[in-house]
Amino acid sequence: MAYFDAASTEPLHPQAREALIAALDVGWADPARLYGPARRARMLLEQARTEVAEALGARPDEVSFTSSGTQAVHLGVLGALHGRRRVGRRLVTSAVEHSSVLHAAGVHERDGGSVETVGVGLTGAVDPAAFRAAVLAEGTALACLQSANHEVGTLQPVVEAAAACAEAGVPLLVDAAQTAGRMPLPGGWSVLTASAHKWGGPAGVGVLAVRKGTRWRSPLPEDDRERRRVPGFENVPAIVASAAALRAMVADSARESARLAALVDRIRSEVPRLVPDVEVIGDPVSRAPHIITFSCLYVEGEALLTELDKAGFAVSSGSSCTASTLRPSHVLEAMGVLTHGNVRVSLPQGASATDVDRFLTVLPDAVRKIREDAGVRS
């Protein structure tokens, strides 16, 4: 099986596996206690925090560990809004944010707040001028913008958004799930969230970074853990493994990202040549290095994923009317692009050119079979 779904989760990095096994033996104790094993656990936890903070461009005391990237987003959004209630109740987001941001926005609306959603163009990027206008509106408490889109890979204008937020005195939350460890992160954020399993760490570890001076108040009952930001016992072995994976990915990111970007460029150029009636989606240049998305006319995404699975490829889809959602991808809808027959290929570290070539050989026959079964000839 060729695994091409790294945007969902990156396979566990070998260095993370080694660190996890070692930390299970020495990092199991409660890091909040004072006896020997607890002090060792605390030392491991704080060393991991320092390493993660350095990789993300933050101070160690700004970084807290959560139980997932989703929890980090929820706490980041709702905590910043809670901390700035006296300023206003208005939240600004883009139309293509991850569902975790949109769900937090829904909670904010049900609590009496308002949400302004800034639309995107055909590439999936927000217009910096439109985002700035939304942020400058009176009563804006928080703005959210992802570093790169999780479905199509398009990079967002975070630098421009950060400048607008600084001008307005509004904190900016950046969801960096798809770029942390893979690309240098833009500055100017007030709150940053990320997820360890996206960079080859174990599942169950998220990162919430809150800049010093940013008003933030936990929306949950207070706990003494993680600087009173995140409740619950820290999973020290998993956090140590996450730091090891991030350290390894950052060390190799320049070389590996360039290699993966070249493979993605090959897919972008070859798929329209090999498959009729296909639309390649997302910005061709300003994009995450590992993600390529395309949609095939006259094809149901779920059927295509099944055929590719039979052929030995694990890919995903934001296509309409899948069994799990029964509705189109909100990202593809917001972009105004074809939603049927959608395939997202996201290459993990170490993905081979041989597997990419085999994918390009298998894909045309898989699409042709589905179309012929539906009575469509291409």
Side-chain angles (χ1 to χ4, degrees):
M1 174 67 72
Y3 180 77
F4 286 176
D5 196 23
S8 292
T9 188
E10 178 81 16
L12 189 67
H13 195 284
Q15 291 191 29
R17 185 185 300 276
E18 293 177 11
L20 178 62
I21 293 172
L24 286 170
D25 289 333
V26 297
W28 51 268
D30 184 349
R33 304 306 175 205
L34 298 178
Y35 41 79
R39 293 198 303 273
R40 280 197 299 274
R42 169 59 65 179
M43 180 185 68
L44 289 171
L45 175 62
E46 294 309 320
Q47 178 61 33
R49 194 187 314 277
T50 298
E51 292 175 357
V52 170
E54 181 180 357
L56 300 181
R59 292 171 26 167
D61 60 353
E62 294 173 335
V63 171
S64 298
F65 295 107
T66 66
S67 64
S68 67
T70 294
Q71 188 192 41
V73 168
H74 290 171
L75 288 173
V77 172
L78 298 177
L81 290 169
H82 193 35
R84 287 173 52 84
R85 287 177 69 97
R86 293 183 180 179
V87 176
R89 304 297 313 281
R90 192 167 172 277
L91 169 66
V92 174
T93 75
S94 83
V96 295
E97 296 300 305
H98 189 269
S99 59
S100 58
V101 173
L102 303 184
H103 292 158
V107 169
H108 177 59
E109 281 188 305
R110 290 192 292 274
D111 191 39
S114 65
V115 177
E116 178 167 347
T117 303
V118 181
V120 299
L122 280 174
T123 66
V126 299
D127 174 31
F131 198 85
R132 176 178 178 274
V135 167
L136 288 173
E138 185 177 355
T140 301
L142 176 68
C144 299
L145 189 64
Q146 59 195 182
S147 58
N149 186 259
H150 50 291
E151 289 193 27
V152 302
T154 297
L155 297 179
Q156 296 292 352
V158 174
V159 172
E160 294 90 334
C165 287
E167 178 186 353
V170 171
L172 174 66
L173 182 147
V174 173
D175 172 11
Q178 290 301 330
T179 57
R182 298 181 185 275
M183 304 176 68
L185 295 177
W189 52 267
S190 300
V191 181
L192 185 84
T193 63
S195 182
H197 73 94
K198 305 288 189 183
W199 67 59
V205 178
V207 176
L208 170 65
V210 181
R211 286 288 193 211
K212 286 292 182 184
T214 300
R215 291 184 182 177
W216 186 94
R217 184 176 178 183
S218 177
L220 301 177
E222 191 171 275
D223 194 334
D224 290 337
R225 303 279 176 171
E226 289 302 295
R227 291 158 174 77
R228 300 182 183 274
R229 295 191 191 123
V230 186
F233 194 103
E234 298 95 339
N235 186 345
V236 174
I239 291 170
V240 169
S242 299
L246 182 59
R247 185 173 63 246
M249 182 172 271
V250 168
D252 200 34
S253 63
R255 182 194 65 82
E256 183 64 1
S257 291
R259 192 184 70 85
L260 293 180
L263 293 176
V264 165
D265 283 339
R266 174 163 167 73
I267 299 173
R268 287 189 69 94
S269 63
E270 287 296 294
V271 167
R273 187 180 70 82
L274 297 170
V275 181
D277 299 314
V278 68
E279 181 181 17
V280 180
I281 298 168
D283 196 294
V285 177
S286 182
R287 57 174 173 80
H290 61 304
I291 299 175
I292 162 70
T293 300
F294 55 88
S295 294
C296 304
L297 198 61
Y298 314 121
V299 172
E300 287 294 339
E302 192 173 356
L304 184 52
L305 263 58
T306 299
E307 287 299 317
L308 291 172
D309 182 44
K310 291 177 183 177
F313 293 94
V315 298
S316 65
S317 174
S319 184
S320 62
C321 298
T322 62
S324 60
T325 64
L326 296 178
R327 60 160 297 163
S329 153
H330 73 276
V331 171
L332 301 181
E333 279 191 320
M335 293 172 65
V337 297
L338 184 64
T339 61
H340 278 70
N342 178 259
V343 173
R344 181 188 68 184
V345 173
S346 49
L347 302 179
Q349 302 288 291
S352 72
T354 300
D355 281 339
V356 168
D357 289 342
R358 187 165 66 88
F359 175 79
L360 292 171
T361 300
V362 165
L363 178 67
D365 290 336
V367 173
R368 186 181 307 110
K369 179 181 183 300
I370 296 169
R371 286 174 174 170
E372 289 177 352
D373 289 345
V376 177
R377 293 195 176 274
S378 61

